[in-house]
């Protein structure tokens, strides 16, 4: 996924943070997944705090992504974070489905029970 910019990666992290909070069960595994993403991006503590408190329209953020590679990374990241605690909740699945539709891309995914396999792909891309 060569077409992913640093701004794309920050947008992906914003979506992942939103997803982790969506079911009101922001657990240690999800926090660890988000920390791994932020570490891989080499974000400073100040950048992490700014992203954690940033309030933006997800539709606007989605439209800011640079292209198909960034949208694919977004969806795979959401799947990775959703599965990090062992099971994606119904709200997380609904959000991922909504994001896929909103991208306007044809995004093929592994079966849900294999979503943890996206971790290495996501971290290697970032």
């Amino acid at each position: 996924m060569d077409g992913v910019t640093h701004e794309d990666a920050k947008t992906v992290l914003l979506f992942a943070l939103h997803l982790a909070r969506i079911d009101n069960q922001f657990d240690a595994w999800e926090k660890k997944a988000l920390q791994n993403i932020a570490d891989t991006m080499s974000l400073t503590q100040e950048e992490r705090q700014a992203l954690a408190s940033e309030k933006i329209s997800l539709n606007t953020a989605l439209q800011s992504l640079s292209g198909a590679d960034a949208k694919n990374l977004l969806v795979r990241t959401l799947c990775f974070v959703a599965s990090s605690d062992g099971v994606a909740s119904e709200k997380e699945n609904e959000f991922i489905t909504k994001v896929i539709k909103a991208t306007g891309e044809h995004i093929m995914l592994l079966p849900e029970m294999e979503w943890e396999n996206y971790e290495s792909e996501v971290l290697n891309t970032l």
Side-chain angles (χ1 to χ4, degrees):
M1 290 192 211
D2 296 327
V4 178
T5 67
H6 185 68
E7 287 305 310
D8 289 335
K10 287 169 66 175
T11 299
V12 166
L13 184 54
L14 282 173
F15 272 85
L17 182 59
H18 178 78
L19 176 88
R21 294 176 174 164
I22 205 164
D23 61 359
N24 296 317
Q25 295 180 8
F26 191 23
D27 67 30
W29 292 105
E30 290 169 329
K31 289 177 185 175
K32 180 69 174 166
L34 294 170
Q35 182 179 355
N36 286 343
I37 292 168
D39 289 347
T40 299
M41 293 172 57
S42 300
L43 294 180
T44 66
Q45 193 59 35
E46 293 78 24
E47 288 174 311
R48 292 170 198 235
Q49 290 173 345
L51 283 172
S53 62
E54 191 168 336
K55 303 290 184 210
I56 63 166
S57 160
L58 294 180
N59 283 332
T60 301
L62 184 62
Q63 294 185 10
S64 76
L65 293 174
S66 64
D69 285 346
K71 292 173 183 176
N72 274 294
L73 175 64
L74 168 62
V75 173
R76 283 168 172 68
T77 302
L78 295 178
C79 292
F80 155 50
V81 173
S83 67
S84 65
D85 60 357
V87 62
S89 73
E90 183 177 336
K91 286 185 179 184
E92 290 169 332
N93 277 320
E94 288 171 2
F95 182 70
I96 292 168
T97 300
K98 185 177 169 181
V99 168
I100 291 170
K101 287 179 185 175
T103 67
E105 301 288 332
H106 181 71
I107 299 174
M108 298 295 296
L109 294 175
L110 294 170
E112 183 180 332
M113 63 186 176
E114 297 177 28
W115 282 0
E116 71 275 356
N117 294 326
Y118 286 127
E119 178 178 9
S120 60
E121 178 183 344
V122 166
L123 297 178
N124 288 332
T125 302
L126 295 171

